[in-house]
Amino acid sequence: MAKAVALISAFCIIAFAAATAHAHSQEVFNVEGDVYCDPCRVQFQTKLSQRLPGAKVRLVCTDTITKAVTYSVEGVANADGHYSLSVAGDHEKEICEVQAVASPRSDCAEIMNDISSSRIICTRNSGIHTAVRFANPLGFMTKDIIPQCLEVIKDLELFVEA
């Protein structure tokens, strides 16, 4: 009888381990973020920033040693300037970043050079207990600063008088 209980217990443990391993190999993460237009060219969001519906973004994962691209997926921001990308698999040994790719607005098409990407952790082995990952906002800038920006810059105490 004890042998039968031990055998059944061992079988259950092996079945559970196999199911867990299969679930991890089929891991899917959901990466979410926002894209905006910066009319003040300060490279962070202000009260004058506008969301960018239709902006294209790309998530790229690269091997930490070889730097080879191991995974890539593109997406488009919805009507609220929010995007959601499905990332298949566990990418523990890779660096994954979301990048701004293209703006739908010709007057706001310059990719910010200070904030051109947002690093994302796409592994279960991170201490994060949900499959949703939130990226920092990505943005584009207008070619020229709009006049209302002077007031915003003063309010933020970024204005330096000579």
Side-chain angles (χ1 to χ4, degrees):
M1 178 72 169
K3 288 182 182 180
V5 171
L7 184 62
I8 291 172
S9 297
F11 177 73
C12 289
I13 290 170
I14 291 170
F16 177 75
T20 303
H22 179 72
H24 283 303
S25 69
Q26 301 300 322
E27 189 70 58
V28 175
F29 296 96
N30 190 43
V31 176
E32 297 186 20
D34 297 314
V35 186
Y36 68 97
C37 175
D38 174 12
C40 298
R41 299 185 59 86
V42 292
Q43 301 195 49
F44 57 84
Q45 287 180 301
T46 66
K47 64 183 180 182
L48 297 176
S49 299
Q50 304 134 2
R51 299 282 179 102
L52 267 180
K56 292 181 184 176
V57 296
R58 178 184 304 126
L59 179 131
V60 176
C61 297
T62 55
D63 184 274
T64 55
I65 297 169
T66 67
K67 308 299 184 220
V69 173
T70 57
Y71 188 85
S72 180
V73 63
E74 288 193 5
V76 177
N78 66 16
D80 297 322
H82 186 81
Y83 63 86
S84 181
L85 303 171
S86 290
V87 180
D90 192 280
H91 300 274
E92 181 177 7
K93 306 246 186 269
E94 298 150 50
I95 295 173
C96 299
E97 294 182 316
V98 182
Q99 306 161 338
V101 175
S103 171
R105 289 179 37 188
S106 60
D107 67 324
C108 189
E110 184 180 338
I111 296 174
M112 295 181 184
N113 52 3
D114 285 355
I115 311 169
S116 61
S117 66
S118 178
R119 190 169 285 188
I120 301 297
I121 297 172
C122 292
T123 180
R124 296 281 293 167
N125 191 22
S126 66
I128 302 172
H129 299 288
T130 176
V132 179
R133 302 295 189 258
F134 296 99
N136 291 326
L138 299 172
F140 295 86
M141 300 181 290
T142 57
K143 183 177 179 182
D144 299 312
I145 297 171
I146 63 172
Q148 299 89 328
C149 291
L150 184 57
E151 190 62 37
V152 170
I153 291 169
K154 284 182 181 177
D155 289 346
L156 293 171
E157 298 180 1
L158 297 175
F159 188 78
V160 179
E161 293 187 41

